[in-house]
Every structure is written in structure tokens, then in C-alpha cells.
């Protein structure tokens, strides 16, 4: 299998945040890939919009809604780990 482990997934998500998202958004607690959200992505490993809703609503609602444009890219990264 090609799958990567949680630590590699964490690194890849942080790289995506630092290289892509940080160009347009502040990296803060409202970031879709804040430290807290990265841990949620690793815990639930959503690979599509239906699975995104496994992440607790309170946490999903706390992110900057504009950043949901990155979800497809995030799902693709996570697919490497499932």
C-alpha cells in the first residue's frame, strides 16, 4: 500500500498550509488547517464532503468559511493516508 502514516500526513498538511493557504489567509485558530484542525483531519481522515461532517460541527463552524475552497486539496492529501 502507498499509504503514509499520521506523522507524514501531519507534515503534508502543514506544508500545504504554509505554502498555499498562508499566501491568502492568516494562519490562526480560524484557519482550516490550524493545529487543532490538522489533528481533527488526522483523527477522522475525511476524503470527501460527507466525511468532512464527521468533524464536530463546533470546530467546523469556527473556521473561516472562505477557506473551504481548500477542502478538495485537503481530501486529496488525506487520501494518501487512508
Amino acid at each position: 500500500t502507498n499509504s503514509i502514516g499520521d506523522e507524514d500526513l501531519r507534515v503534508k498538511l502543514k506544508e500545504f498550509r504554509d505554502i498555499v493557504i498562508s499566501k491568502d489567509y492568516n494562519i490562526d485558530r480560524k484557519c482550516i488547517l490550524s493545529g487543532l484542525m490538522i489533528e481533527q483531519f488526522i483523527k477522522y481522515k475525511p476524503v470527501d464532503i460527507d466525511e468532512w461532517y464527521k468533524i464536530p460541527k463546533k470546530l467546523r463552524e469556527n473556521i473561516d468559511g472562505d477557506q473551504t475552497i481548500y477542502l478538495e486539496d485537503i481530501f486529496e492529501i488525506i487520501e494518501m493516508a487512508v
Side-chain angles (χ1 to χ4, degrees), residues 40-54:
Q40 296 299 307
F41 280 115
I42 290 169
K43 178 177 179 180
Y44 293 100
K45 294 186 177 67
V47 293
D48 60 36
I49 201 70
D50 291 334
E51 292 183 3
W52 160 244
Y53 292 103
K54 291 180 185 173

Side-chain angles (χ1 to χ4, degrees), residues 17-64:
R17 175 189 70 193
D18 295 344
I19 294 167
V20 178
I21 298 176
S22 66
K23 283 188 202 158
D24 297 310
Y25 296 97
N26 291 328
I27 304 305
D28 56 21
R29 61 184 184 79
K30 294 187 97 47
C31 178
I32 196 163
L33 286 178
S34 66
L36 175 65
M37 285 302 291
I38 285 176
E39 295 311 311
Q40 296 299 307
F41 280 115
I42 290 169
K43 178 177 179 180
Y44 293 100
K45 294 186 177 67
V47 293
D48 60 36
I49 201 70
D50 291 334
E51 292 183 3
W52 160 244
Y53 292 103
K54 291 180 185 173
I55 294 176
K57 184 177 182 189
K58 176 179 78 179
L59 299 174
R60 284 185 281 110
E61 288 181 340
N62 191 42
I63 64 164
D64 175 347

